[in-house]
Amino acid sequence: MKLKLIYSHENVKRPILAEIILKTNLLINIIEAQVTANIGEMIIDIPSEGERLKEVINYLRSKGVIVKEVIKTIEIDYEKCIGCGACVSSCPANAIKQNSNWNIEFIEEKCIGCKICVYACPIKVIKAV
Amino acid sequence: MEARGVEELRTYEEINKKIKSGDAIVMTATEFIEYVGRYGLEKASKDVDVVTTGTFGAMCSSGAFLNFGHSDPPIKMIRCWLNDVPAYAGLAAVDCYIGASSMSETKPFEYGGGHVIEDLVSGKEVELRAEGRVTDCYPRESIETTVTLDDINQAILVNPRNAYQRYNAAINSSNRTLYTYLGILLPNYGNIHYCGAGELSPLYKDKDFETIGIGTRIFLGGGIGYVIGEGTQHNPQNQMGTISVCGNLKQMSGEYLKGAVFYRYGTTLYVGIGIPIPIINKRVAVSAALKDSEIFTNVIDFGVPSRNRPIVKKVSYAELKSGKVEINGMEVKASPLSSFKYAANIAETLKKWIEKGEFLLSRPVELIPNYREFKPLIIKRRELIVKDVMTKEIIIGKLTDSIKDVAKKLTERGIDHLPIVDSENKLIGIVTSWDLAKAIAQDKKELVDIMTKRVITAKENDLIDTVVKRMEEYKISGVPIINDSNHVIGILTTDDISRKLVRRRLL
Ligand code: SF4
Ligand code: SF4
């Protein structure tokens, strides 16, 4: 399960994740982290579910960390994508970008899972997962 | 003005001679624009022999003629399917035309003629099913087999309308999401979709059709093809010119012919087309040097369901390609539907072919016209209205009637719907034979308890089409026809409609 953690300036300096790892023995993977002096944002992957996952989430919340679930919703087959852009402006959350070479980029955190892009793609290279 | 197509700067023979000796200067449209920007048009038109272009977008008016060869015993195909997609078989015995937007009968809106063409060209096996008309020449009644592109005698891509010079962009002012051939349009001006390759667009780079005509050799679907004439709906005076093209499918590739689906609209084919523009005179050079910022199109409101959809804004391709367009003070995100990535690859590939001496230019036998009257379809036959079809004999029930009276009326008159009126003869409900069955099942005694009180009605001057849609929407098979004072003046049932339509067809 992927989670997005938002730290405020009070807890950004504390080793909360390390504490959890020690406590639970879970191999938590940090996928992305952007930390400044007073705010931090992190995407982590926890190889767990059910009660244990809930435990982690509750612990994080008890330390004042804002926790959001990142639900994986779509997968793009970049090999087959023709870079047309039909998915780009159809996405209500601006989660698909087109760069200067017209290649597309999926910004998973922004995705709200509406799946409009799955229908919008004329070549059918976006799959709901 | 001098004659269109005058070869003032160089002739086709001179260009081909240079191509053969490897001396031709070839640039893609993007490179040419940059070159003109740096050295000016004068020098650029002297230096550059050929400008290559490209486009890769949905082109519904595309398809292929296929010849399967004869089976034993032979068949005269009158109906024919490829992977369940109907192909046109009103040709000689084993010829058919598979159109890009013909949809699979088992997987409509998912798989269509465009996909069949892509599958064939990618070497896949395709199921062929056909029904025949048994004659002394062709004794076989039906056939079911599989074919590949190699098995087929001829496979000729013939597209009657391709490569629009530019195309309208689409927006949606209504409050519901629209599913169009220009993609999914989010409500309340949520997004803009646009088509056409802008400064790479083959037909915009020779805007006045000075070099493009019957016999022009082009890049088509990854192979070589030819322009065979103007396309359908050719409208060059509005920069909406089109061409028809053909080419041997056997030397094309699935990379540049891709089956596609527009959600809830239908299936189509993405076709890759690249045209070499020989810089034969100054005017052609000027046209080939046009930039995205100099090519304009209209943003059309698809929220208005009419042929004359309003223009919301005139925009340049530069603005569209920036990803954002300002509409009524709002920033609306815009994205293309055709692939600029592939368009650029096509222009680049064509350039390589010419540079390597593998592709020679051809002088058209006849140029594509640069003017063509553009006609809409006028509906000449007066459209059917309710009055033309409805049953005028009025059989109605009163609120005071018993359920038994009503049942008697329905069965004696052989009808299914009985409008119920009050003491002033105004419509207050309707009872159908279904309601009666329910009444018996549930042991109801009063008419008020079983009749439908919110009656769907129509007026005598309503269009039949509109009423049919209303009936479909509410899943009903008949509507009372009322006048302005809510008096019943007739009834219209699906039986009335089918009877009338059958008669029309027979006439
Ligand atoms: S699922 Fe919805 S939000 Fe996510 S990328 Fe697709 S269109 Fe955007
Ligand atoms: S719509 Fe499909 S093919 Fe087009 S850019 Fe998006 S993912 Fe790629």
Side-chain angles (χ1 to χ4, degrees):
Chain A
M1 164 64 72
K2 278 201 198 112
L3 297 177
K4 179 174 185 170
L5 311 181
I6 302 167
Y7 290 72
S8 64
H9 74 278
E10 287 114 47
N11 52 28
V12 75
K13 295 205 180 71
R14 298 183 41 199
I16 301 172
L17 267 191
E19 283 168 31
I20 294 182
I21 294 170
L22 281 179
K23 222 176 122 192
T24 60
N25 259 333
L26 283 171
L27 296 171
I28 293 174
N29 191 15
I30 300 175
I31 293 170
E32 210 184 292
Q34 283 181 332
V35 184
T36 64
N38 36 25
I39 191 156
E41 271 192 18
M42 217 180 258
I43 300 203
I44 61 168
D45 192 10
I46 303 179
S48 175
E49 50 193 24
E51 278 308 308
R52 285 194 84 190
L53 178 68
K54 229 186 244 164
E55 204 182 300
V56 176
I57 294 175
N58 287 342
Y59 185 78
L60 284 163
R61 288 196 173 135
S62 74
K63 299 288 169 192
V65 178
I66 299 168
V67 185
K68 285 186 189 157
E69 285 181 11
V70 179
I71 308 160
K72 192 159 196 224
T73 49
I74 60 146
E75 228 164 52
I76 301 174
D77 185 343
Y78 291 99
E79 284 284 300
K80 295 206 181 109
C81 164
I82 60 166
C84 65
C87 55
V88 176
S89 75
S90 306
C91 170
N94 300 325
I96 306 177
K97 266 199 335 203
Q98 212 165 6
N99 66 24
S100 53
N101 293 326
W102 304 103
N103 286 320
I104 57 160
E105 220 178 280
F106 175 47
I107 311 152
E108 198 164 324
E109 305 92 87
K110 284 196 180 175
C111 174
I112 54 169
C114 69
K115 304 200 169 65
I116 288 182
C117 56
V118 176
Y119 303 113
C121 174
I123 312 296
K124 295 280 157 270
V125 303
I126 307 184
K127 296 244 142 40
V129 289
Chain B
M1 198 170 99
E2 288 169 69
R4 228 162 33 104
V6 58
E7 293 159 41
E8 209 171 40
L9 293 169
R10 46 184 70 78
T11 66
Y12 288 86
E13 288 77 13
E14 284 161 358
I15 295 171
N16 283 338
K17 211 170 137 197
K18 283 172 94 178
I19 293 175
K20 281 181 201 155
S21 64
D23 296 322
I25 304 295
V26 190
M27 286 185 187
T28 66
T30 315
E31 291 164 346
F32 186 65
I33 289 166
E34 210 187 291
Y35 196 80
V36 170
R38 191 174 309 166
Y39 300 105
L41 195 83
E42 195 72 32
K43 179 169 161 54
S45 54
K46 280 215 180 77
D47 291 352
V48 180
D49 298 305
V50 182
V51 171
T52 62
T53 61
T55 186
F56 188 66
M59 304 190 195
C60 293
S61 267
S62 298
F65 284 104
L66 308 174
N67 174 281
F68 301 110
H70 285 289
S71 57
D72 191 19
I75 184 169
K76 158 80 187 83
M77 300 192 318
I78 52 166
R79 304 206 315 142
C80 160
W81 296 262
L82 290 154
N83 283 350
D84 287 339
V85 180
Y88 178 72
L91 302 161
V94 288
D95 280 348
C96 82
Y97 183 80
I98 177 80
S101 55
S102 179
M103 291 201 281
S104 155
E105 286 176 354
T106 46
K107 287 193 285 173
F109 297 98
E110 236 180 85
Y111 187 92
H115 298 90
V116 172
I117 292 170
E118 180 187 343
D119 282 349
L120 279 173
V121 87
S122 311
K124 291 195 188 143
E125 222 169 48
V126 166
E127 256 171 58
L128 166 67
R129 188 156 53 84
E131 289 169 7
R133 180 184 296 121
V134 176
T135 61
D136 291 341
C137 309
Y138 297 106
R140 185 189 281 273
E141 209 171 330
S142 69
I143 199 165
E144 233 172 280
T145 181
T146 60
V147 290
T148 64
L149 195 59
D150 284 342
D151 302 335
I152 298 174
N153 286 323
Q154 280 80 23
I156 314 160
L157 195 74
V158 179
N159 305 347
R161 186 202 313 162
N162 278 180
Y164 263 108
Q165 283 183 298
R166 61 176 182 129
Y167 208 76
N168 289 329
I171 198 166
N172 169 18
S173 68
S174 80
N175 55 14
R176 63 183 191 95
T177 302
L178 298 178
Y179 304 94
T180 73
Y181 59 78
L182 284 171
I184 297 182
L185 299 175
L186 301 176
N188 307 316
Y189 302 97
N191 65 335
I192 291 175
H193 274 312
Y194 63 100
C195 266
E199 63 186 29
L200 272 176
S201 168
L203 302 191
Y204 218 102
K205 300 273 93 174
D206 176 16
K207 208 156 112 305
D208 217 29
F209 296 90
E210 297 215 37
T211 71
I212 301 170
I214 299 172
T216 299
R217 185 178 292 117
I218 61 172
F219 172 111
L220 178 62
I224 286 174
Y226 296 88
V227 173
I228 54 176
E230 67 181 283
T232 54
Q233 289 194 21
H234 181 54
N235 184 3
Q237 60 274 29
N238 289 314
Q239 289 78 54
M240 297 273 259
T242 69
I243 45 173
S244 47
V245 300
C246 81
N248 182 0
L249 195 65
K250 294 199 178 197
Q251 39 97 51
M252 298 185 193
S253 100
E255 187 65 4
Y256 292 106
L257 289 173
K258 280 198 194 296
V261 178
F262 281 101
Y263 183 60
R264 290 209 204 157
Y265 175 77
T267 59
T268 184
L269 181 70
Y270 269 59
V271 181
I273 290 185
I275 303 185
I277 311 289
I279 306 300
I280 55 168
N281 64 43
K282 248 333 213 329
R283 291 187 304 268
V284 174
V286 170
S287 183
L290 285 172
K291 299 194 277 280
D292 279 334
S293 56
E294 296 163 317
I295 303 174
F296 291 87
T297 193
N298 294 320
V299 181
I300 305 281
D301 184 3
F302 273 62
V304 179
S306 128
R307 186 180 65 208
N308 299 315
R309 297 193 171 103
I311 297 172
V312 178
K313 194 183 182 184
K314 186 177 169 189
V315 284
S316 72
Y317 272 85
E319 192 173 357
L320 288 168
K321 286 185 183 179
S322 78
K324 285 175 206 129
V325 175
E326 203 217 274
I327 303 277
N328 309 330
M330 292 182 296
E331 214 176 56
V332 180
K333 57 190 170 164
S335 69
L337 292 172
S338 43
S339 170
F340 297 129
K341 189 171 135 185
Y342 274 55
N345 287 348
I346 290 168
E348 194 59 45
T349 307
L350 185 53
K351 176 184 151 179
K352 294 247 164 66
W353 287 354
I354 299 172
E355 281 176 343
K356 281 197 226 147
E358 292 166 2
F359 185 107
L360 294 178
L361 269 54
S362 57
R363 177 187 286 115
V365 185
E366 191 179 291
L367 290 176
I368 301 283
N370 61 351
Y371 180 84
R372 176 66 78 219
E373 198 187 340
F374 194 64
K375 299 183 208 145
L377 179 63
I378 315 257
I379 302 165
K380 290 186 188 136
R381 179 184 269 179
R382 190 174 68 88
E383 285 183 275
L384 280 183
I385 57 175
V386 168
K387 201 161 45 178
D388 305 331
V389 184
M390 71 183 192
T391 302
K392 290 184 184 119
E393 189 194 1
I394 307 160
I395 310 165
I396 47 178
K398 298 250 181 214
L399 200 51
T400 46
D401 287 354
S402 71
I403 289 184
K404 204 168 166 195
D405 295 336
V406 169
K408 230 173 126 191
K409 268 188 192 158
L410 285 179
T411 46
E412 271 174 11
R413 313 298 291 261
I415 53 174
D416 270 328
H417 305 80
L418 191 70
I420 308 296
V421 296
D422 63 11
S423 52
E424 284 167 35
N425 262 332
K426 289 190 196 254
L427 180 72
I428 50 162
I430 189 164
V431 174
T432 64
S433 23
W434 172 244
D435 294 327
L436 277 185
K438 251 186 355 203
I440 293 162
Q442 297 172 354
D443 211 14
K444 294 258 167 65
K445 297 273 166 349
E446 299 295 323
L447 194 53
V448 257
D449 294 334
I450 65 160
M451 73 178 189
T452 304
K453 295 180 194 86
R454 273 196 52 217
V455 193
I456 312 298
T457 61
K459 298 264 169 80
E460 61 175 359
N461 286 324
D462 287 352
L463 281 177
I464 285 293
D465 269 0
T466 325
V467 182
V468 166
K469 267 193 211 107
R470 205 175 300 157
M471 285 163 57
E472 275 167 3
E473 196 180 324
Y474 291 99
K475 300 193 172 54
I476 51 175
S477 55
V479 288
I481 309 305
I482 52 165
N483 63 15
D484 288 336
S485 40
N486 206 18
H487 290 137
V488 179
I489 56 168
I491 190 152
L492 179 75
T493 65
T494 41
D495 282 350
D496 296 330
I497 297 167
S498 45
R499 221 173 302 134
K500 180 76 183 188
L501 290 186
V502 168
R503 231 185 35 237
R504 269 214 155 183
R505 221 155 275 153
L506 292 178
L507 281 175

